[in-house]
Amino acid sequence: MSTIAAIATAASNGGIGIIRISGKESFSILDKIFKAFKPQKIEEILGYTMKYGHIINMETNEIIDEVLVSYFKEPKSYTTENMCEINSHGGIIIEQEILRQCLLAGAELAEPGEFTKRAFLNGRIDLSQAESVIDLINSKTSGEAKASMKQLEGELSKKVQQIRKMQLDIMADIEASIDYPEYDEVEEVTNKKLKKVLIEIKEKLEKLEKSYSNGKILKEGINTVIVGKPNAGKSSLLNAILDEDRAIVSSIEGTTRDTIEEFVTIHGIPLKLIDTAGIRNAKDEVEEIGVQKALKLIKEADLVIDIIDNTKTLEIEDREILDMLTERVAIILLNKIDMGDFQLEKCEEIKKAGKPVIKISAKTKEGIEALYQKIIEMFQLNKIEIEQGNVITNIRHKNQIHKAIEAIEKAEEILEQEMPIDLISVPIKQSLEELSAITGENVSEDIIAEIFSKFCLGK
Ligand code: GDP
């Protein structure tokens, strides 16, 4: 493999910039452009140590920057290859000039994710661990970062290996029963055992697949839409939650014409909040668009917060909205409780909706904490599951698990129909292969290329 180089830090000015080099020739390339203040032979420099000196322009001999270089000797490095990291001043021009010198000295420009790809190809990490690196970098919530970190530590890989081991055991059993066809009882025992193990495998896989919805919440937040007729207090609620005046609070109906989206984390649960235009019979075209959008949003939301003005009797628009809540995960808020409690919860339509009702004041924030507690209760993310690495956040992994389940179901069908036992090994082998694709033992070049293309340069 060639020796590669890239700028690893973000492409903007900062305190420090890091240029990475990885490959057999790392140190000889470095030697051509780096003059240490206390020169030492590479054999004398220990891995995980740093040296201080200048990066020199190979063409003009001019000093480009004063730097610290860290040395990592194979196999103890990120890629398992010889590596060095040049810590320069964090200016884009300087970093680019140092990179140019690395290339002049014989390095090749690394592709996005190539360092991590090498860590994978050289066997230091498996594919799901490599993918968790990018997930960790792109995490939008602390929960997602935690789940990604668990995956980087190999928790998902361990789970997958456990299931694969069970599948391999089954394959061995089937082979044994094929090898001794004269013993009927072998086949009978195998059949019984097979049935049990297949159920067990399927349960484990289904648990992992289901955890993706938790993973999705960690990743994207609970898609929460706030609805209510104009002036019910939608913008005020959004502001109370956000604790700042980002949404325009106004007593003129329908000022919130389009939607406003905000991302907040409430007691560790990420919410993507969407404030809709007042749902009502549109008076003009712009509002019509807003209303239609709101209806669509309700259908797509994970959670609907219906806010009702508690100081007024229910109006037709309130009823229309209540109707839309059927079959939706929803909370009804009776707002403006600071103006007196008119006990709207006793109202037939609200009772009929069968959703949790919370009395709040968006103005004084009374009841807001109760709203949070309700959301936590409804969407309790099992913290233990995250900690044990039981949460899937990656859609590719989910799809592979789904395909593995389908193959196991096929095996169950064959068993059910009492067909020759060796036929079962085909779908079991299939499910084994689907799982192998998660850890990367069985995955095409194209998929690997696609996965790493999403990485940043220098990672
Ligand atoms: P939206 O049209 O549903 O977004 O409603 P707004 O948030 O713009 O609120 C409409 C009006 O009700 C504004 O004058 C707010 O100040 C007022 N309002 C909202 N929430 C409360 C509340 O909890 N108590 C009181 N007293 N007034 C509120």
Side-chain angles (χ1 to χ4, degrees):
M1 266 191 259
S2 57
T3 297
I4 49 170
I7 300 169
T9 37
S12 64
N13 291 352
I16 300 171
I18 297 179
I19 297 92
R20 272 178 148 179
I21 311 174
S22 178
K24 263 236 147 349
E25 302 305 322
S26 292
F27 302 138
S28 59
I29 287 171
L30 181 74
D31 220 34
K32 293 183 196 163
I33 60 170
F34 176 59
K35 296 286 166 268
F37 294 148
K38 285 188 187 160
Q40 257 182 312
K41 284 198 184 108
I42 184 67
E43 300 81 55
E44 293 162 6
I45 302 171
L46 295 174
Y48 288 93
T49 56
M50 288 184 126
K51 288 199 79 67
Y52 175 41
H54 282 148
I55 294 289
I56 307 290
N57 184 321
M58 277 176 68
E59 297 155 315
T60 62
N61 261 336
E62 271 174 311
I63 294 171
I64 294 173
D65 196 10
E66 187 184 5
V67 299
L68 275 171
V69 178
S70 29
Y71 291 77
F72 306 90
K73 291 186 167 181
E74 61 168 35
K76 293 187 175 172
S77 77
Y78 186 74
T79 58
T80 77
E81 301 169 337
N82 282 336
M83 276 187 86
C84 34
E85 289 181 0
I86 303 169
N87 289 236
S88 70
H89 288 103
I92 301 170
I93 298 296
I94 290 175
E95 291 165 18
Q96 280 175 347
E97 186 50 35
I98 296 175
L99 176 63
R100 198 174 73 86
Q101 294 300 320
C102 293
L103 303 184
L104 274 177
E108 278 177 25
L109 186 63
E111 286 170 15
E114 200 174 351
F115 293 90
T116 312
K117 188 176 176 181
R118 287 188 173 197
F120 163 61
L121 293 176
N122 294 332
R124 191 179 68 80
I125 52 174
D126 69 28
L127 195 56
S128 74
Q129 287 174 302
E131 288 169 292
S132 67
V133 172
I134 186 74
D135 288 344
L136 188 61
I137 292 174
N138 290 339
S139 291
K140 287 202 288 289
T141 68
S142 62
E144 188 192 1
K146 251 186 222 165
S148 303
M149 193 56 220
K150 278 286 152 198
Q151 201 171 311
L152 180 57
E153 285 177 340
E155 291 298 333
L156 175 64
S157 317
K158 255 190 251 159
K159 290 258 137 53
V160 170
Q161 298 299 5
Q162 276 168 9
I163 299 172
R164 287 183 60 207
K165 166 105 188 11
M166 291 167 79
Q167 292 170 325
L168 286 169
D169 286 350
I170 291 187
M171 299 282 281
D173 283 348
I174 294 171
E175 246 152 68
S177 77
I178 295 168
D179 286 346
Y180 303 99
E182 61 275 29
Y183 299 118
D184 269 359
E185 60 273 33
V186 173
E187 186 166 331
E188 216 169 279
V189 172
T190 311
N191 274 354
K192 257 196 199 143
K193 191 174 155 197
L194 264 181
K195 206 173 250 175
K196 201 173 140 248
V197 180
L198 284 179
I199 290 174
E200 216 177 301
I201 292 177
K202 203 169 122 185
E203 272 173 11
K204 281 186 193 288
L205 288 172
E206 280 174 344
K207 199 169 160 208
L208 275 180
E209 190 188 21
K210 272 201 201 114
S211 77
Y212 181 74
S213 57
N214 274 354
K216 191 167 163 282
I217 286 175
L218 286 182
K219 222 180 170 108
E220 294 164 16
I222 298 168
N223 211 333
T224 308
V225 58
I226 304 172
V227 293
K229 71 173 183 226
N231 277 330
K234 295 179 295 297
S235 309
S236 307
L237 173 69
L238 192 68
N239 286 343
I241 295 174
L242 296 173
D243 220 3
E244 56 187 42
D245 283 337
R246 226 180 292 172
I248 312 153
V249 185
S250 151
S251 52
I252 303 162
E253 287 188 5
T255 38
T256 328
R257 290 208 150 146
D258 210 335
T259 58
I260 299 172
E261 273 181 29
E262 296 286 354
F263 204 85
V264 283
T265 306
I266 289 163
H267 300 315
I269 308 252
L271 293 188
K272 192 171 96 184
L273 285 167
I274 303 157
D275 176 19
T276 61
I279 293 182
R280 59 167 192 173
N281 298 325
K283 282 199 189 115
D284 63 43
E285 212 177 308
V286 184
E287 290 229 333
E288 175 68 24
I289 296 165
V291 171
Q292 281 172 3
K293 203 166 171 186
L295 287 170
K296 190 166 169 276
L297 286 168
I298 288 182
K299 283 196 188 124
E300 290 167 0
D302 300 318
L303 170 68
V304 183
I305 296 181
D306 177 13
I307 182 160
I308 296 173
D309 189 339
N310 161 72
T311 63
K312 301 202 171 123
T313 49
L314 279 195
E315 288 174 20
I316 180 147
E317 292 138 296
D318 292 309
R319 294 195 182 98
E320 278 172 9
I321 296 171
L322 282 169
D323 277 346
M324 287 181 221
L325 301 185
T326 341
E327 291 182 20
R328 312 295 328 158
V329 176
I331 297 174
I332 297 171
L333 296 182
L334 300 181
N335 188 34
K336 309 192 188 178
I337 204 75
D338 56 293
M339 292 173 79
D341 186 355
F342 300 92
Q343 306 203 325
L344 230 52
E345 73 277 12
K346 288 191 176 150
C347 180
E348 244 349 278
E349 284 94 334
I350 291 183
K351 273 205 241 162
K352 218 175 67 199
K355 307 289 174 192
V357 178
I358 300 169
K359 297 180 188 185
I360 67 153
S361 163
K363 194 175 173 185
T364 66
K365 290 197 175 187
E366 187 188 338
I368 297 283
E369 185 55 36
L371 167 66
Y372 294 165
Q373 291 308 326
K374 194 77 211 164
I375 296 174
I376 289 169
E377 185 193 313
M378 290 165 96
F379 288 87
Q380 183 76 58
L381 285 172
N382 192 332
K383 288 199 178 72
I384 299 158
E385 292 215 329
I386 300 174
E387 259 135 48
Q388 289 176 349
N390 275 343
V391 172
I392 303 263
T393 54
N394 187 304
I395 182 82
R396 190 184 75 86
H397 300 164
K398 184 198 177 247
N399 289 342
Q400 289 307 123
I401 288 168
H402 187 74
K403 284 191 239 169
I405 294 173
E406 282 177 345
I408 293 290
E409 281 168 350
K410 225 170 256 161
E412 285 180 326
E413 252 172 58
I414 294 174
L415 197 64
E416 212 56 48
Q417 290 165 4
E418 297 183 1
M419 290 207 243
I421 195 159
D422 50 327
L423 283 181
I424 296 184
S425 56
V426 178
I428 293 179
K429 197 154 164 252
Q430 175 75 29
S431 86
L432 199 61
E433 276 170 15
E434 303 297 0
L435 288 188
S436 302
I438 294 179
T439 41
E441 278 99 340
N442 172 35
V443 70
S444 72
E445 284 287 326
D446 293 356
I447 290 177
I448 293 178
E450 197 199 313
I451 288 170
F452 287 100
S453 69
K454 290 182 196 135
F455 272 60
C456 0
L457 272 167
K459 188 68 222 175

